Amino acid sequence: MRYFLKLYILLILIAAIKSSVWSQENMTQTLRGNVVDKERQTPLPGVNLIIINSQPQRGTISDENGYFRFYNVPV
């Protein structure tokens, strides 16, 4: 009985360690927002945006309402 309990606890620990390692692989996020004029608070369409020091370099352009999105950005 004790042998099975120790084996069960060991399997749970191995599964927890593997899941924490696997869950941190390829963690990405979507970065989004909108660009507005500081004084008039109006949306700015066509603004070029880049993520500094990203490899490869990532860039996007804001749409007609000033909204932008970067997909698959590492956390």
Side-chain angles (χ1 to χ4, degrees), residues 5-75:
L5 181 61
K6 289 179 183 179
L7 182 62
Y8 182 71
I9 291 171
L10 180 64
L11 289 175
I12 289 175
L13 289 173
I14 290 172
I17 291 170
K18 281 191 173 187
S19 68
S20 69
V21 170
W22 287 337
S23 67
Q24 294 185 7
E25 291 178 14
N26 300 324
M27 290 185 62
T28 61
Q29 61 187 343
T30 299
L31 178 62
R32 61 183 177 206
N34 66 335
V35 183
V36 294
D37 183 271
K38 184 177 180 179
E39 293 176 10
R40 292 189 259 168
Q41 294 298 310
T42 57
L44 294 173
V47 174
N48 290 317
L49 301 139
I50 62 167
I51 299 176
I52 299 172
N53 297 329
S54 63
Q55 293 297 325
Q57 190 170 15
R58 296 178 177 264
T60 190
I61 299 173
S62 62
D63 67 9
E64 64 274 358
N65 297 316
Y67 290 101
F68 66 90
R69 284 184 188 223
F70 288 97
Y71 294 100
N72 299 322
V73 177
V75 174

